[in-house]
Amino acid sequence: PLRVGDDVDVSLALEKLGTGSRIVLGTLKVGDVVVATTRTVHVAIDGQGRSRPLPEAFKAAVGARLPLVSPTT
């Protein structure tokens, strides 16, 4: 478990970078112990709340900063 005052290391990686969405995996560790994992799906939407393609510049920036990994589950 996490406790108030713990130093938490958070790492993120891409599971998928698609046309209009991305899946981001997260790992939270205290020392060498994994205390939590996350998997979030982010979908790009337009002003009316409809899905839309991710801008190519955004995809390039995200892809350059987060490693692409295979899911483990």
Side-chain angles (χ1 to χ4, degrees):
L2 289 171
R3 294 185 178 17
V4 173
D6 283 349
D7 287 325
V8 181
D9 179 40
V10 178
S11 61
L12 301 174
L14 284 173
E15 179 181 324
K16 178 184 174 193
L17 185 56
T19 304
S21 66
R22 68 185 188 270
I23 300 174
V24 179
L25 304 176
T27 303
L28 287 73
K29 294 171 95 176
V30 174
D32 292 331
V33 178
V34 174
V35 293
T37 59
T38 65
R39 183 176 186 264
T40 58
V41 178
H42 304 250
V43 177
I45 59 172
D46 64 18
Q48 286 72 46
R50 295 180 300 235
S51 64
R52 58 162 287 203
L54 291 168
E56 289 302 318
F58 175 83
K59 288 172 63 173
V62 168
R65 288 174 176 78
L66 291 178
L68 186 60
V69 297
S70 297
T72 56
T73 55

